[in-house]
Amino acid sequence: HMFGATIGSLQVRTCVGTVCTTRSTFTGAQHTSQTAAWTQAFVSLASGTTSVQFVGNRSTSFTGDISVDTISITPGGSVPPTVAPTSAPTVAPVTTFTCGFNTPSNTANTTLTTGLPTSQGTRFWCGMSHTNIWQVDEGGSTSSFNTGPSGGQAGTTTDNYAHLETSFGTVGMESVLTTPPLLVNPGGAVLSYY
């Protein structure tokens, strides 16, 4: 969800090891109000993908909150040509990853077959790492006036979501939200997010 007068940009990058490629970019307001329905987007993931990054770039003011919710990775789908991993994988293949930011990380909100504990990371992050000004909003609108959504993608004011809190940071600051380690199987996978 991208509503506000000073929305920066949101990029989705797919990574093989430390080499990341921008797969989609949204710049400026994509929604007309805080109550506008969330928009679903899809990205094909090639075999060998080891992580996905959501990269928010802060613009000039606090009215630039960018939000993501209901991140899901499922096997199959149309994928671009594969890129060989740069090193031997250190995790088992992922069959499914889902994060709605609603359940504390120490309970079963994350479905991974990577052998990674669901308790990694902090509360509600589903094992995802984050830098700079990403935070989980525990329902309702963001703390900034006239920006961000009125609630999570499920349409309730108690539905959590991650958002870039632009009351903090500096112009152009890049903040990265990264999935836990992945290893997408041959045949690829599809990333879905709001």
Side-chain angles (χ1 to χ4, degrees):
H1 200 279
M2 297 173 71
F3 168 71
T6 58
I7 296 288
S9 66
L10 176 68
Q11 297 177 337
V12 175
R13 298 177 185 162
T14 58
C15 305
V16 176
T18 59
V19 178
C20 300
T21 303
T22 299
R23 300 294 307 284
S24 67
T25 302
F26 296 96
T27 302
Q30 303 293 308
H31 297 87
T32 58
S33 71
Q34 289 181 289
T35 58
W38 288 65
T39 304
Q40 188 174 23
F42 299 90
V43 174
S44 294
L45 304 179
S47 175
T49 298
T50 58
S51 67
V52 175
Q53 297 178 340
F54 294 85
V55 182
N57 287 285
R58 186 187 184 281
S59 187
T60 58
S61 174
F62 70 92
T63 58
D65 291 356
I66 297 170
S67 305
V68 296
D69 199 1
T70 316
I71 298 167
S72 177
I73 298 173
T74 53
S78 174
V79 297
T82 60
V83 178
T86 56
S87 62
T90 58
V91 296
V94 168
T95 57
T96 304
F97 171 78
T98 303
C99 181
F101 303 101
N102 288 311
T103 306
S105 294
N106 59 357
T107 61
N109 186 42
T110 308
T111 307
L112 287 175
T113 58
T114 61
L116 296 172
T118 55
S119 62
Q120 70 170 325
T122 57
R123 187 175 149 110
F124 299 115
W125 287 105
C126 312
M128 298 179 78
S129 64
H130 51 96
T131 65
N132 295 328
I133 56 177
W134 278 108
Q135 60 182 265
V136 170
D137 192 295
E138 296 185 34
S141 60
T142 67
S143 59
S144 302
F145 176 73
N146 207 26
T147 187
S150 58
Q153 176 271 323
T156 67
T157 57
T158 58
D159 183 30
N160 297 354
Y161 55 92
H163 80 278
L164 201 65
E165 180 49 68
T166 57
S167 296
F168 306 101
T170 57
V171 173
M173 175 182 277
E174 183 176 277
S175 298
V176 183
L177 177 63
T178 306
T179 63
L182 307 170
L183 180 59
V184 175
N185 291 321
V190 175
L191 165 70
S192 166
Y193 66 97
Y194 287 86

